[in-house]
Amino acid sequence: MKHDAAGRAAQLRAQIAHHNRLYYELDRPQISDADYDALMDELRAIEREHPQLLTPESPTQRVGGAPSGKFAKVRHSVPMLSLANGFTAEDVAAFIERVRRFLKLDAAEPLELTAEPKIDGLSLSLRYERGVLVSGATRGDGTEGEDVTANVQRVKDIPAKMHGRAAPEVCEIRGEVYMTRSAFLKLNEEQSAAGRTVFANPRNSAAGSLRQLDPQVTASRPLRFLAYAWGEMSEMPAASQWDMLNWLKQRGFPTNPLSRLCHSPGELLAFHQEIELGRARLDYDIDGVVYKVNRLDWQRRLGFVGRDPRWALAHKFPAQKATTVVNAIELQVGRTGALTPVAKLAPVTVGGVVVSNATLHNEDYIRELDVRIGDTVTVQRAGDVIPQVLGIVPQRRPRHSQPFEFPKTCPCPLGTPVVRELTAAGREGAVSRCSGELACPFQRVEHLRHYVSRRAFDIEGLGEERITLLFDRGWIAEPADIFTLGRRNPAIQLEQQEGFGELSVRNLFAAIEARRSIPLERFIYSLGIRHVGETTARSLARGYGTFPAFREACRRLAGEDAEARQELDAMDQIGDAVIDSLSAYFSESHNAGMVDRLAAQVRILEAQRPAAESAIAGKTIVFTGRLERMTRDEAKALAERLGAAVSGSVSKRTSLVVAGAEAGSKLKKARELGVQVLEEDAFLELVRESPLEGK
Ligand code: IVH
């Protein structure tokens, strides 16, 4: 028996080590938290029964993965610990009972607990000395984490200086770095369009974004932070968890507004239920609710068991995952021709929603998991939005199944070859693409959907279904056709189509007419040219001012005019990838023709051009330190009005740094790079000379 236990413990430790590495170091978990917890629970049970098997190296005695080696290591002066999990009302009752027994509270003694949503991100410790942020570290294994100071300084939610006067000598603020679901989806779209790796869920996306060797990359990622705990404190500003949360808020740290002070187990459970019901409507992932004994003196008395505080419990939500069978694997074609493999599943309920499709991300993902048609797989609703296949159940694999062969041709009627593009670094990218471009009807429909989408032409009442119908009937083949639809309708009689009534047709034509005027930047964005997102489109619009000027530049670019290339290169935010992409796009005569036909149908409004005479037109400016004569927002607006671009970080491309009081690292960097530095007054002097401001 004992021998078996030892064998099983070794097996479990190996599995846990494997999953720890996937989760903490590679940001790529393959099993759900609930499955992971089950492995840990089994190991803990074995160790309880056979204490001689317990070693300090056992994963039950440590937290998470070791630091990954990319970053310098930091020792946490107070270890970063974990939380015990509970799943049922009984678990919660047992927790409360344990606390009461430990503290010897009699039944009449009230016991308050805070209840805080458990955000699914990664925990972070921020060290402030006399109120100034001096370092940031990930949890790592709990004792030693990674030094991510340069990166946390780029996270907007994290104050560089604590608010308020008389900050304590030392304060370690702890909390969760996370990404909202909407930001995660948007980031993945951008990643995919650029041929870079996509993230499996917001948590991985946050972890991957924080642990970037280049802090500039972190800066460009929409990371958020919520504070809920602390480490070393030279003095304690409050005596309860609840007051500490309020103090954190006063000091400028975001805290979760949903947290609540509860006075009974019933209140805890009601809160848990309330949060679980509202979970899908939150824009961030949570996986449970954390209960903490409110009084800090009691927390101190309760102390820890192993790695978990005795004064807290993570009341988890039931896992949002299930197993089902893969009936088929289909390819979905995106606007840029990117092919996303989708598993067609035997419908299964996951967290209350019927799921029959789940993403398999890309070819490599399928190969790594070795997902085959006929396999039983675990699926999870990551962040309650996109269900994904987490892994297979090997025991349930049908005999004679074959590895999935990623199709060599696009599923569209043309069957054009699928290619895997090279990344900028010359390596094979993760994304497979249909090479058919606009000849591929699937891509055309996606393109049309993009044209009418919210940030482009924003035509109300023209969703996916209608676009597909209009395209399939041959009434809309390209964007210009949208604007001639009304004129052609007497022959078409859209009112007769299913899903269209007289009123909805009238509304649709009104919505189309309302968009016949469009700002240049939206027009450019609507074209859906690769690498030309909203920001780039805005730069192009500002740079050229009018559609004819933009169009002419693109014509010259397509004709390999070196001057046109240079002109673009000098523009803010425009680099080689954009230039190559514009050039490739406009070299195709059908693209150019389509743009011209669309332009003929609409009125493209001129972009507000910066005054070329302004002293700072075309420059990239960084404001740093405390400005005395204007707010940051004012400064930014002023600079932009005068044709400059404002950036948050100093690089070789920065033309000017405006340094206010107590400017720190950015000023230092500017000096190192030899970037021009002006004080606030000198900057105002400089722009006052420019004709625009004088007016
Ligand atoms: S308190 C010693 N509060 O959950 C107590 N943790 O499973 C340490 N988490 O490592 C944690 N929301 O990353 C605490 N309101 C919250 C939390 C929270 C999310 C995470 C945190 C922690 C993990 C433990």
Side-chain angles (χ1 to χ4, degrees):
M1 262 292 91
K2 211 185 245 176
H3 182 72
D4 280 349
R8 180 64 186 149
Q11 205 176 26
L12 287 166
R13 283 180 192 143
Q15 281 178 7
I16 290 166
H18 170 69
H19 291 299
N20 274 348
R21 204 173 108 72
L22 288 170
Y23 186 91
Y24 288 104
E25 289 166 38
L26 305 176
D27 301 322
R28 197 158 184 179
Q30 284 178 0
I31 60 171
S32 70
D33 290 358
D35 283 349
Y36 177 85
D37 291 342
L39 294 176
M40 282 294 259
D41 285 346
E42 190 184 344
L43 181 58
R44 253 185 236 120
I46 295 178
E47 289 173 347
R48 248 196 319 273
E49 248 179 66
H50 308 279
Q52 74 282 5
L53 294 178
L54 183 62
T55 65
E57 288 75 44
S58 171
T60 57
Q61 305 303 302
R62 297 154 48 89
V63 190
S68 74
K70 293 196 294 191
F71 294 91
K73 289 173 187 160
V74 194
R75 267 196 104 68
H76 300 299
S77 48
V78 176
M80 289 183 79
L81 296 149
S82 189
L83 292 170
N85 290 329
F87 294 92
T88 61
E90 289 75 52
D91 294 343
V92 178
F95 160 68
I96 300 285
E97 189 39 46
R98 212 162 44 237
V99 168
R100 285 190 163 277
R101 212 177 330 120
F102 193 95
L103 296 172
K104 301 203 172 59
L105 301 183
D106 65 49
E109 181 91 55
L111 171 63
E112 288 177 340
L113 295 105
T114 61
E116 307 165 14
K118 186 171 184 301
I119 312 274
D120 200 8
L122 64 153
S123 46
L124 189 68
S125 186
L126 302 166
R127 189 177 170 93
Y128 287 80
E129 291 177 2
R130 278 181 230 109
V132 177
L133 175 63
V134 294
S135 75
T138 63
R139 178 167 67 170
D141 64 4
T143 359
E144 202 170 61
E146 291 168 336
D147 181 351
V148 287
T149 309
N151 298 10
V152 299
Q153 286 169 336
R154 309 297 204 276
V155 177
K156 289 199 187 65
D157 279 349
I158 297 178
K161 253 182 107 173
M162 278 185 166
H163 295 185
R165 293 176 175 276
E169 193 67 21
V170 175
C171 267
E172 275 179 12
I173 309 300
R174 292 178 176 177
E176 205 82 352
V177 171
Y178 67 102
M179 203 178 272
T180 62
R181 276 203 286 264
S182 45
F184 154 73
L185 291 174
K186 184 158 174 267
L187 175 65
N188 255 2
E189 257 174 45
E190 290 164 7
Q191 290 284 105
S192 160
R196 291 190 289 261
T197 33
V198 294
F199 298 101
N201 54 47
R203 191 208 160 272
N204 292 349
S205 180
S209 299
L210 183 70
R211 292 157 72 213
Q212 285 287 336
L213 286 177
D214 178 359
Q216 302 264 34
V217 177
T218 304
S220 73
R221 302 279 176 82
L223 288 172
R224 308 293 304 264
F225 179 76
L226 278 173
Y228 50 67
W230 54 93
E232 186 184 336
M233 297 287 285
S234 54
E235 60 197 82
M236 279 304 283
S240 70
Q241 176 72 24
W242 188 248
D243 291 344
M244 278 303 284
L245 291 176
N246 285 326
W247 179 80
L248 286 167
K249 196 168 147 212
Q250 274 169 22
R251 287 289 182 172
F253 299 93
T255 52
N256 197 320
L258 298 174
S259 298
R260 187 177 294 169
L261 181 61
C262 297
H263 306 84
S264 68
E267 269 185 55
L268 294 178
L269 295 178
F271 180 78
H272 185 267
Q273 197 176 26
E274 194 180 311
I275 294 291
E276 187 174 3
L277 286 175
R279 184 181 181 190
R281 282 192 300 276
L282 292 179
D283 193 23
Y284 50 86
D285 285 353
I286 54 175
D287 56 356
V289 172
V290 185
Y291 307 138
K292 297 175 188 167
V293 169
N294 192 36
R295 278 176 62 161
L296 299 185
D297 55 339
W298 286 357
Q299 286 193 3
R300 239 165 274 131
R301 275 172 62 195
L302 286 156
F304 297 83
V305 223
R307 55 174 202 160
D308 305 329
R310 206 178 269 116
W311 44 266
L313 180 77
H315 187 183
K316 297 290 226 28
F317 298 131
Q320 309 247 342
K321 63 158 203 146
T323 55
T324 185
V325 175
V326 176
N327 289 330
I329 297 176
E330 289 180 0
L331 293 190
Q332 231 167 44
V333 188
R335 170 166 62 83
T336 57
L339 299 167
T340 307
V342 176
K344 297 282 160 180
L345 307 167
V348 62
T349 314
V350 189
V353 172
V354 178
V355 167
S356 46
N357 295 310
T359 180
L360 285 162
H361 303 294
N362 54 46
E363 183 177 5
D364 294 342
Y365 192 80
I366 300 182
R367 191 175 318 121
E368 259 165 55
L369 299 187
D370 187 23
V371 179
R372 305 178 182 191
I373 293 165
D375 268 348
T376 297
V377 290
T378 24
V379 288
Q380 173 175 283
R381 280 204 303 139
D384 301 315
V385 258
I386 341 157
Q388 59 172 329
V389 172
L390 287 179
I392 61 163
V393 184
Q395 302 85 333
R396 308 262 287 270
R397 168 162 284 173
R399 256 191 250 179
H400 312 304
S401 77
Q402 294 295 318
F404 178 71
E405 274 219 32
F406 202 84
K408 305 251 176 317
T409 56
C410 178
C412 73
L414 295 178
T416 26
V418 166
V419 289
R420 275 187 64 163
E421 282 171 7
L422 299 182
T423 60
R427 262 175 282 144
E428 193 172 59
V431 182
S432 303
R433 250 175 241 285
C434 161
S435 54
E437 310 240 333
L438 284 186
C440 167
F442 289 8
Q443 284 187 56
R444 287 186 85 123
V445 170
E446 289 304 313
H447 257 284
L448 286 167
R449 282 179 61 193
H450 174 73
Y451 275 101
V452 301
S453 66
R454 205 165 51 78
R455 296 200 177 89
F457 271 87
D458 188 22
I459 298 178
E460 219 170 299
L462 209 45
E464 175 175 9
E465 250 170 68
R466 286 184 166 182
I467 284 278
T468 310
L469 177 132
L470 293 167
F471 181 83
D472 286 347
R473 299 287 154 90
W475 295 329
I476 288 184
E478 60 170 57
D481 300 340
I482 297 169
F483 292 94
T484 60
L485 191 64
R487 209 172 60 217
R488 292 178 287 132
N489 196 43
I492 294 172
Q493 300 258 322
L494 212 46
E495 299 80 358
Q496 310 303 320
Q497 294 297 317
E498 208 182 300
F500 287 92
E502 227 161 90
L503 181 66
S504 76
V505 170
R506 215 175 326 131
N507 286 343
L508 176 61
F509 289 140
I512 293 174
E513 282 317 307
R515 293 292 182 262
R516 221 181 257 279
S517 301
I518 184 167
L520 178 59
E521 59 190 64
R522 271 184 182 252
F523 183 90
I524 296 176
Y525 171 72
S526 82
L527 302 179
I529 300 169
R530 286 187 67 197
H531 302 298
V532 183
E534 275 180 293
T535 319
T536 310
R538 200 172 311 127
S539 298
L540 289 168
R542 291 232 174 101
Y544 289 110
T546 66
F547 175 70
F550 167 72
R551 182 68 190 84
E552 173 59 15
C554 292
R555 192 190 56 73
R556 280 163 49 212
L557 187 65
E560 303 202 348
D561 178 336
E563 223 173 276
R565 210 183 164 90
Q566 258 170 17
E567 210 173 271
L568 269 160
D569 200 34
M571 274 181 206
D572 177 46
Q573 313 266 2
I574 311 286
D576 280 342
V578 172
I579 301 178
D580 289 343
S581 176
L582 278 172
S583 167
Y585 184 91
F586 281 96
S587 313
E588 294 285 348
S589 59
H590 60 256
N591 287 338
M594 204 176 60
V595 172
D596 293 339
R597 287 188 291 278
L598 176 61
Q601 289 300 327
V602 298
R603 200 163 74 84
I604 304 170
L605 309 176
E606 269 183 34
Q608 283 193 351
R609 286 203 70 181
E613 305 88 343
S614 129
I616 57 170
K619 297 200 168 169
T620 300
I621 300 187
V622 174
F623 291 97
T624 182
R626 200 179 63 244
L627 302 178
E628 310 281 355
R629 314 251 314 254
M630 53 193 165
T631 66
R632 264 303 161 86
D633 286 343
E634 273 178 84
K636 186 163 185 282
L638 169 65
E640 285 178 347
R641 199 162 59 238
L642 293 174
V646 176
S647 160
S649 54
V650 178
S651 73
K652 290 201 300 284
R653 283 175 163 253
T654 311
S655 357
L656 173 64
V657 168
V658 179
E662 291 159 47
S665 60
K666 289 182 194 171
L667 178 59
K668 188 162 157 256
K669 178 130 187 231
R671 297 238 159 90
E672 278 163 18
L673 292 172
V675 173
Q676 187 190 2
V677 176
L678 282 182
E679 286 182 358
E680 187 180 1
D681 284 342
F683 170 73
L684 285 171
E685 195 69 23
L686 175 74
V687 297
R688 202 167 300 131
E689 278 169 20
S690 74
L692 254 191
E693 271 309 281
K695 276 181 200 163

